[in-house]
Amino acid sequence: MKVLLHVCCGPCAIYPLEWLRSAGHEVTGVFYNPNIHPFKEFARRFETAVQWAKGVELSLMLDDAYGLEEFITLVKEDLKMPKRCAHCYRIRLRNVAQKAKTGGYDAFSTSLLVSPYQQHELIREIAEEVATETGVAFLYHDYREGWKRGVEQSRELELYRQPYCGCIFSEQDRYYKGAGRLLAHV
Ligand code: SF4
């Protein structure tokens, strides 16, 4: 099948691409991630995805528009997880499915399904909704079986590995431990 693979970042896409190719699929990638903030982080993940794709000879559709305003507008009524993440998954997967439809692909898939830190069942549910909406099949596979393998390969390739999920709220969750911490060091 001709498959359009959503690439959330280079390291996460390593195993999904390997699995899809080994299953005989013809794969094209697409980088569309308006959820990555701030801009320097977005640029770094974008450049890493491009670097990785060149190395594995993957044709990668690129969208380098920085989506901070688009994303904040989308999630402003639902800042907490899991509702925030549901919006985040949907906007990306809908975009990828629409590109798959326009480009005549048989199916779409996503590297988000490799991570044990993502909400796997929610991603699957939303991808199936989007498949119904667009009429393009969703190729599901539980890529988590290859998570460790992807981590090891990304380290061997010296690819940048991000320290938090992506949005500015996940950066806060990763680093901000509450008021008073900074004052304690003044
Ligand atoms: S935590 Fe991750 S999945 Fe959830 S909204 Fe932020 S970037 Fe998206």
Side-chain angles (χ1 to χ4, degrees), residues 35 71 81 84-85 88-89 92 118-119 165-167 169-170:
N35 60 306
F71 184 84
M81 295 169 76
R84 182 183 80 221
C85 302
C88 177
Y89 296 145
R92 292 189 278 170
Q118 293 291 336
Q119 297 169 70
C165 188
C167 65
F169 306 104
S170 62

Side-chain angles (χ1 to χ4, degrees), residues 91-177:
I91 187 177
R92 292 189 278 170
L93 294 173
R94 190 177 276 152
N95 180 287
V96 173
Q98 283 167 347
K99 281 188 169 76
K101 185 171 188 174
T102 306
Y105 290 84
D106 300 306
F108 69 96
S109 192
T110 175
S111 60
L112 287 165
L113 292 169
V114 82
S115 172
Y117 303 108
Q118 293 291 336
Q119 297 169 70
H120 193 95
E121 289 310 319
L122 183 59
I123 295 165
R124 184 177 187 177
E125 189 183 306
I126 289 172
E128 280 165 0
E129 283 171 19
V130 166
T132 304
E133 270 172 38
T134 57
V136 181
F138 167 54
L139 193 159
Y140 173 77
H141 183 78
D142 190 347
Y143 302 120
R144 289 177 295 187
E145 66 198 10
W147 167 251
K148 282 188 183 165
R149 183 181 168 85
V151 170
E152 285 164 9
Q153 286 192 29
S154 67
R155 289 193 176 130
E156 283 165 17
L157 294 168
E158 299 184 347
L159 295 179
Y160 168 66
R161 296 187 56 79
Q162 61 266 29
Y164 58 92
C165 188
C167 65
I168 203 68
F169 306 104
S170 62
E171 193 261 7
Q172 173 180 269
D173 293 343
R174 172 72 175 76
Y175 296 114
Y176 182 58
K177 304 300 180 194

Side-chain angles (χ1 to χ4, degrees), residues 30-43 46-47 61-71 91-92 95 99:
V30 54
F31 184 95
Y32 170 71
N33 297 295
N35 60 306
I36 303 171
H37 323 130
F39 177 69
K40 282 187 176 178
E41 179 71 18
F42 175 78
F46 179 92
E47 287 160 4
M61 295 182 201
L62 296 166
D63 188 337
D64 72 349
Y66 178 49
L68 178 62
E69 289 172 13
E70 177 188 9
F71 184 84
I91 187 177
R92 292 189 278 170
N95 180 287
K99 281 188 169 76

